[in-house]
Amino acid sequence: MKKIFLAVLFAGFNLAAFSQVLPSFQLGVKAGTNLSKLSTENTFSSDNRAGYYAGLWARIGAAGIHLQPELYLSGKNTTLKAENGEENKVKFTSLDVPILVGTKIGAAGIGLRLNTGPVVSFILDDEQSFGDAASEAFKGNFKGQNIAWQFGAGLDIKNLGVDLRYEAGLSKIGKDGYDDTKLGLFTLGLAYRLF
């Protein structure tokens, strides 16, 4: 009985290892929330504010490594504060395209994923609203796209997944007085694998 149990256990581990070698393709949807903050060396500071994201993801992999391109619409919010107390609430709506490389550890439909890679954001709108004391001169001038780098981990249980990531801005998003400004954010999301 002990030999049969060990043989079944050994076969199970071999099957799990072999399944990581075979090529695979997955497609799914995802949505979640983010916390955005502008980093700057200028005379204003920035507060974290919550936003959203929703879109599609694909995962192509073999030999325990996968490529994960994604496409999602993202709302990123932050508040700029000047030294004199003026506030400018900025809401970015962007189309984000991450291209992540990662690995997955686990078997039997449960696995831990680690991902990293670049993301390009195309800003579709940068709506700004000012506090009562703020002047039009405090208005930010932002570029139409920026590049960042994502680091993250995820947990998959069957068709469901949870992702936690940090996105560090690489390119400067501002211009005309805001040219040292970069956008960084944390994201927490849920994913569903369609197939």
Side-chain angles (χ1 to χ4, degrees):
M1 184 70 173
K2 190 186 227 182
K3 289 181 181 179
I4 293 173
F5 176 73
L6 290 175
V8 169
L9 190 61
F10 182 72
F13 284 130
N14 281 336
L15 183 60
F18 184 66
S19 68
Q20 296 291 322
V21 175
L22 295 176
S24 66
F25 176 79
Q26 298 174 348
L27 180 68
V29 293
K30 67 183 306 183
T33 186
N34 62 47
L35 285 174
S36 308
K37 186 172 184 174
L38 291 171
S39 64
T40 181
E41 297 168 7
N42 210 321
T43 58
F44 62 86
S45 63
S46 172
D47 283 345
N48 280 315
R49 290 186 58 212
Y52 67 89
Y53 73 95
L56 300 169
W57 60 270
R59 194 175 298 140
I60 305 118
I65 298 174
H66 62 260
L67 180 68
Q68 184 168 317
E70 300 179 347
L71 177 68
Y72 50 83
L73 191 65
S74 181
K76 302 166 187 170
N77 304 319
T78 190
T79 301
L80 302 177
K81 291 185 177 181
E83 290 176 344
N84 63 4
E86 293 181 350
E87 286 191 359
N88 177 3
K89 293 182 179 178
V90 183
K91 296 181 179 181
F92 295 103
T93 303
S94 63
L95 185 65
D96 294 353
V97 185
I99 307 292
L100 307 174
V101 175
T103 188
K104 185 174 178 179
I105 305 161
I110 299 174
L112 175 67
R113 281 180 291 102
L114 300 174
N115 297 313
T116 189
V119 56
V120 179
S121 296
F122 301 95
I123 296 177
L124 306 175
D125 184 28
D126 64 350
E127 178 185 329
Q128 300 179 58
S129 61
F130 305 96
D132 294 338
S135 65
E136 188 70 18
F138 187 44
K139 183 173 183 177
N141 194 356
F142 301 102
K143 296 177 182 175
Q145 74 178 44
N146 71 315
I147 298 171
W149 196 273
Q150 285 189 357
F151 306 89
L155 177 66
D156 291 334
I157 301 172
K158 303 287 183 189
N159 287 5
L160 295 176
V162 178
D163 284 294
L164 178 63
R165 296 183 188 166
Y166 175 69
E167 184 176 307
L170 297 179
S171 64
K172 295 173 180 172
I173 195 170
K175 57 184 179 180
D176 299 336
Y178 295 85
D179 51 0
D180 64 341
T181 307
K182 295 179 181 180
L183 184 66
L185 63 146
F186 287 95
T187 63
L188 176 63
L190 294 173
Y192 181 75
R193 181 168 50 92
L194 300 172
F195 60 85

